[in-house]
Amino acid sequence: AQTVTQSQPEMSVQEAETVTLSCTYDTSENNYYLFWYKQPPSRQMILVIRQEAYKQQNATENRFSVNFQKAAKSFSLKISDSQLGDTAMYFCACDNTNAGKSTFGDGTTLTVKP
Amino acid sequence: GAVVSQHPSWVICKSGTSVKIECRSLDFQATTMFWYRQFPKQSLMLMATSNEGSKATYEQGVEKDKFLINHASLTLSTLTVTSAHPEDSSFYICSAKGQGHLETQYFGPGTRLLVL
């Protein structure tokens, strides 16, 4: 069975500062994808960043970057220059091509303070 | 990016009635669609996976006769909550995957269902 663990239920950060959200996962598959999704108060799920497990290079999308440690099965999200609009619940997810579906973590609620 | 719509966004119904929720992929062909249920401040709970033209695969504990899923085309899936009761009140979210999108799910905006 595939599992995803987010150990930080809530976090806060001052505007313009950097914050890192943790995620660990467990899968027996070799071919899988990892995702971070953001769910703001509107509840619309939005893709933040995606990492293919076969790629060693960490994915980056503007202010968002990941630290992908495959051997440790760790996939943390770093948000730089935090903005008020980053306030949301963040979900880490793992998807392997055999299962065809994603396993989601319990989420981390991030609050960016002015 | 890929866009998924969901309709209606809000629905209030009386106990015992059926409610249909539509999920459409607007700019890509969805080979697989998913239906989730989400309670406030909790994670997404997968209800079922559907592939175009075939029967949906339901997660353990989800009543097939209660939550009817139809994936009639590569752009449309529907979830029908039959004989709804107050305990079915929840936030329902659909998502879709398509070829060439690297296993990425794109989510609809969700449907808030309130059963009185």
Side-chain angles (χ1 to χ4, degrees), chain A residues 33 35 37 39 41-45 47 50 52 54 89 91 95-97 100-102 104-106, chain B residues 34 36 38-44 46 59 91 93 97 101-109 112:
Chain A
Y33 296 81
F35 305 88
Y37 289 95
Q39 188 178 40
S42 67
R43 302 187 79 174
Q44 166 76 63
M45 292 282 286
L47 175 68
R50 172 180 58 213
E52 292 108 285
Y54 60 87
M89 197 160 185
F91 292 98
D95 190 312
N96 75 70
T97 52
K101 59 185 179 182
S102 292
F104 289 83
D106 288 338
Chain B
F34 303 88
Y36 295 89
Q38 187 183 34
F39 294 102
K41 299 189 178 182
Q42 293 188 21
S43 189
L44 281 67
L46 180 65
E59 294 299 303
F91 188 64
I93 310 174
K97 275 189 191 181
H101 289 270
L102 298 177
E103 301 300 320
T104 303
Q105 292 186 43
Y106 296 97
F107 288 84
R112 289 169 175 79

Side-chain angles (χ1 to χ4, degrees), chain B residues 48-62:
Chain B
T49 302
S50 73
N51 295 295
E52 185 263 340
S54 61
K55 288 185 178 180
T57 302
Y58 290 80
E59 294 299 303
Q60 194 170 9
V62 178

Side-chain angles (χ1 to χ4, degrees), chain B:
Chain B
V3 180
V4 175
S5 70
Q6 198 171 330
H7 178 80
S9 56
W10 258 110
V11 59
I12 301 173
C13 68
K14 292 183 179 180
S15 188
T17 61
S18 294
V19 175
K20 181 184 281 189
I21 303 170
E22 288 189 352
C23 178
R24 294 181 184 272
S25 56
L26 299 185
D27 52 3
F28 69 103
Q29 293 188 325
T31 50
T32 308
M33 284 183 162
F34 303 88
W35 288 96
Y36 295 89
R37 185 172 179 176
Q38 187 183 34
F39 294 102
K41 299 189 178 182
Q42 293 188 21
S43 189
L44 281 67
M45 182 181 76
L46 180 65
M47 299 174 67
T49 302
S50 73
N51 295 295
E52 185 263 340
S54 61
K55 288 185 178 180
T57 302
Y58 290 80
E59 294 299 303
Q60 194 170 9
V62 178
E63 298 177 59
K64 300 179 184 181
D65 296 332
K66 175 81 172 166
F67 299 100
L68 299 179
I69 291 171
N70 184 277
H71 191 161
S73 74
L74 282 172
T75 59
L76 172 65
S77 177
T78 59
L79 167 67
T80 301
V81 184
T82 62
S83 186
H85 288 98
E87 58 266 29
D88 299 324
S89 298
S90 193
F91 188 64
Y92 293 88
I93 310 174
C94 73
S95 70
K97 275 189 191 181
Q99 289 185 346
H101 289 270
L102 298 177
E103 301 300 320
T104 303
Q105 292 186 43
Y106 296 97
F107 288 84
T111 298
R112 289 169 175 79
L113 170 63
L114 177 61
V115 184
L116 302 176

